[in-house]
Amino acid sequence: MATRLQAPARPKPTFKLLPLTAEDAPRCVDIYFAAFQNPHSLACWPRVPSIRTFWEHMILDELAEPGAHWLKAVVGLPDAAGSDNRESKATLQIAGFCKWVAPKPGQTPDTTLPQWPADADGKLCDETFGAWAEAHKEHLGDRGHWYLEIVATDPAYQGQGAGSQILRWGTERADADDVEAYLEAAPDAVRLYEKFGFREAGRTDTFIENERVNGEWYRNLYMLRPAAKKGI
């Protein structure tokens, strides 16, 4: 009997973190909308042009924010020889992106909310993003900390290491600075965050119902990673 040959396993892609640029904003919005299919995101953000424009402008406005580190995880980099031909450069693909915010000792987290676009569910945005901002302030006070404000990975690359590389970038800096790290999490991402030392510090459950979501509960978790305490 002939032996069936198994196809070789496809190697995981290699990701590299690079600074995000203004030209990357449209791709980041694509990734965000594809990655966040939970009731909260769908209810707050209808996938219409005005919402896309809001997100693109928000990213562009915040790229130069003091202490903000916008990064992209790219895959398909040119080979080590550093080929400069256009075909190599065209293979670059953004697999994920994030915004880490550096410590601001002595400052409490800002709880000011933006003006939401007309097509968003402004009431839900105020309720949830307002509660999450207040929780951030409650849990950290004026203690300096690294804050993972946003992270998203293209579903085509999820589970392949892009998110871990983003988490590693920030937690290594938190350890070097001997400070805490903080983030908000959807339930399906908790396991990854726990691998990097984050633990639940609190949660908020919100009942969501509008023309896009037919009455569902959504849970948001607040996760804290303790300082490395290198001096102990």
Side-chain angles (χ1 to χ4, degrees), residues 60-61 63 73-74 88 118 148 153 169 196 201 219:
L60 294 174
D61 289 345
L63 277 176
V74 297
S88 285
L148 183 57
T153 303
W169 188 96
F196 284 85
R219 173 166 291 171

Side-chain angles (χ1 to χ4, degrees), residues 19-20 58-71 98-104 146-150 169:
L20 199 72
M58 180 189 70
I59 292 171
L60 294 174
D61 289 345
E62 296 182 8
L63 277 176
E65 178 185 297
H69 297 264
W70 286 89
L71 305 169
C98 72
K99 177 188 179 183
W100 277 102
V101 182
K104 300 176 181 178
W146 279 90
Y147 174 39
L148 183 57
E149 184 172 328
I150 186 170
W169 188 96

Side-chain angles (χ1 to χ4, degrees), residues 2 15 24 30 41 46 52 55-57 61 63 70 79 81 104 107 113 118 125 129 139 151 157 177 191 204 207:
F15 301 100
D24 300 322
D30 287 340
S41 178
R52 179 180 192 89
W55 272 89
E56 288 185 9
H57 286 175
D61 289 345
L63 277 176
W70 286 89
D79 59 30
K104 300 176 181 178
Q107 296 184 35
L113 299 178
C125 288
F129 290 112
H139 288 300
V151 58
Y157 293 104
D177 293 340
R191 183 174 298 180
T204 296
F207 186 74

Side-chain angles (χ1 to χ4, degrees), residues 25 38 44 70 80 82 97 100 104 127 136 150 152 174 217 231:
N38 60 61
C44 284
W70 286 89
F97 73 98
W100 277 102
K104 300 176 181 178
E127 177 185 355
H136 186 185
I150 186 170
W217 284 96

Side-chain angles (χ1 to χ4, degrees), residues 120-200:
D121 187 328
K123 181 179 178 181
L124 179 62
C125 288
D126 279 341
E127 177 185 355
T128 53
F129 290 112
W132 303 352
E134 289 294 339
H136 186 185
K137 181 178 178 180
E138 176 184 339
H139 288 300
L140 275 303
D142 62 358
R143 302 195 305 275
H145 60 282
W146 279 90
Y147 174 39
L148 183 57
E149 184 172 328
I150 186 170
V151 58
T153 303
D154 186 326
Y157 293 104
Q158 287 179 2
Q160 299 182 55
S164 292
Q165 201 152 338
I166 286 170
L167 266 292
R168 189 173 297 111
W169 188 96
T171 54
E172 286 180 351
R173 281 156 179 76
D175 288 345
D177 293 340
D178 199 12
V179 297
E180 298 159 286
Y182 181 80
L183 55 81
E184 294 98 10
D188 57 0
V190 168
R191 183 174 298 180
L192 171 63
Y193 299 143
E194 289 178 339
K195 284 175 56 178
F196 284 85
F198 288 89
R199 296 294 180 263
E200 182 180 342

